[in-house]
Amino acid sequence: MTIGTRREWLRTMAALGAGALLPPFAPSGLRRQPAQDPLAAFRAQIGAVPIQARQLGENLTLLSGPGGNVVVLHGSDGLVVVDTFVAPAWPKLEQSLAALGAPVKFVINTHWHFDHTDNNAPLHAAGATVVAHANTRRRMSEPHHLAVLELDFPPSPASALPQRVFTDRYTLEANGERLELSHVPPAHTDTDVTVRFEHANVLHAGDVYFNGRYPYIDGNTGGRVDGMIAASDRLLSRADSGTKIVPGHGPLATRADLVKYRDMLSTAADRVRKLKASGKSLEESIAAKPFTDLDGDWGSGRYKGDDFVKIVYLTL
């Protein structure tokens, strides 16, 4: 899940509170209305991103935008959709899926975070079966506090919970394609699943892979930086030079891109591990600026170097 720093979030909320996102001609009474609650505002911010479509194969489409990357397998057997964007993006997602000309038969969640599961309920209501790791159903059934943004997530409604769960591997066959779902030991969370489209040679990595940016690692639900490194190695063992790798967030990637990401994670973990082992506190580790040489390549996303030092330190 892409999460900004608290400082960025406070700036966003200040803008919302000041009516900065309202048109200048809005009635003064409307402009004085209180801002949305933080969670709704955050969803709206992500949901405003447009959806962009890209063909990955003859019957495979990548939809990118309001909550990462969604992959859709289409054909006469119906649609298989991997991840579902945030709730405010539903009208755009519904329109994009309708244009593919078949009902949605299966939805796959790569993990429990809201930007990947928010539209489970309307898709299930339309007839789809939602498939995920057993831990995803458990995590979605619980309340969560996201300390980074001071956001509180209530349990998901029963209609949004996965109907079909597994613990290790699960396969689906549809539209001439074979999908292999594999659970990843705790990495981004303890709910992570990767999805391999065998014939198309496409690998959806979920949020164990953020391409070209520092990743978020959710230590509150089992995420560990060493698990992220191990997950990268697992992905690399299943990819060749021709594999199209879909990250949870960021542009479509190659195996070479994933190697660079894995090396960055390893370097970052080693540096922070040494600082922590030497007795440095979190604040002292941040002050040491261990990622200065990495920031140019990896600090352009929501997380900057100082933020990622904290994420790594807390998930070692």
Side-chain angles (χ1 to χ4, degrees):
M1 175 171 66
T2 53
I3 305 298
T5 64
R6 174 161 172 73
R7 183 167 57 256
E8 289 171 324
W9 177 247
L10 290 174
R11 285 200 296 266
T12 299
M13 293 310 299
L16 286 168
L21 300 185
L22 290 174
F25 51 80
S28 60
L30 177 59
R31 292 175 64 82
R32 287 195 297 268
Q33 291 297 312
Q36 294 173 292
D37 72 85
L39 180 55
F42 191 51
R43 276 190 163 104
Q45 181 188 40
I46 298 172
V49 177
I51 293 176
Q52 297 181 330
R54 174 175 177 172
Q55 289 301 117
L56 297 179
E58 183 178 353
N59 62 342
L60 208 58
T61 299
L62 171 63
L63 302 176
S64 301
N69 292 315
V70 169
V71 173
V72 185
L73 174 69
H74 39 94
S76 59
D77 293 335
L79 306 184
V80 181
V81 180
V82 182
D83 288 339
T84 71
F85 293 143
V86 294
W90 170 244
K92 293 181 290 189
L93 177 60
E94 184 180 31
Q95 183 178 19
S96 297
L97 296 177
L100 295 175
V104 180
K105 293 298 185 183
F106 289 97
V107 170
I108 298 166
N109 295 148
T110 60
H111 62 292
W112 79 269
H113 284 154
F114 74 104
D115 51 334
H116 300 258
T117 62
D118 252 4
N119 289 305
N120 281 3
L123 287 166
H124 177 54
T129 298
V130 181
V131 181
H133 189 265
N135 287 347
T136 292
R137 182 179 176 91
R138 176 171 65 88
R139 294 299 190 185
M140 290 179 68
S141 302
E142 303 167 341
H144 295 280
H145 177 70
L146 187 62
V148 175
L149 294 180
E150 296 186 3
L151 292 178
D152 290 295
F153 290 83
S156 298
S159 59
L161 300 179
Q163 293 85 48
R164 192 174 297 179
V165 298
F166 64 97
T167 57
D168 184 27
R169 294 181 183 272
Y170 188 86
T171 58
L172 281 173
E173 294 190 9
N175 302 315
E177 182 60 83
R178 176 182 171 88
L179 288 71
E180 183 183 81
L181 286 60
S182 301
H183 175 54
V184 178
H188 175 65
T189 66
D190 62 8
T191 71
D192 301 311
V193 169
T194 62
V195 183
R196 183 168 183 256
F197 297 82
E198 293 187 355
H199 298 306
N201 197 15
V202 170
L203 187 58
H204 196 313
D207 276 9
V208 301
Y209 182 23
F210 284 54
N211 188 18
R213 62 196 70 181
Y214 290 128
Y216 176 63
I217 305 172
D218 186 358
N220 289 333
T221 56
R224 295 292 180 267
V225 65
D226 288 334
M228 293 285 276
I229 296 167
S232 296
D233 286 334
R234 287 167 62 101
L235 287 168
L236 287 169
S237 72
R238 304 174 69 200
D240 58 38
S241 60
T243 304
K244 296 175 182 177
I245 304 174
V246 179
H249 299 272
L252 187 68
T254 64
R255 190 180 190 280
D257 295 324
L258 182 57
V259 169
K260 293 177 183 177
Y261 173 77
R262 191 267 179 211
D263 290 347
M264 178 276 293
L265 289 177
S266 182
T267 298
D270 287 347
R271 291 177 183 178
V272 176
R273 198 186 319 272
K274 289 176 182 176
L275 289 168
K276 196 171 184 178
S278 71
K280 298 290 187 184
S281 67
L282 172 60
E283 292 72 20
E284 290 170 332
S285 297
I286 292 172
K289 302 291 182 182
F291 300 159
T292 301
D293 61 323
L294 302 176
D295 289 346
D297 290 331
W298 304 98
S300 62
R302 287 183 179 268
Y303 287 110
K304 311 307 177 187
D306 288 357
D307 305 314
F308 196 52
V309 174
K310 180 176 182 179
I311 289 170
V312 173
Y313 190 99
L314 294 177
T315 60
L316 276 171

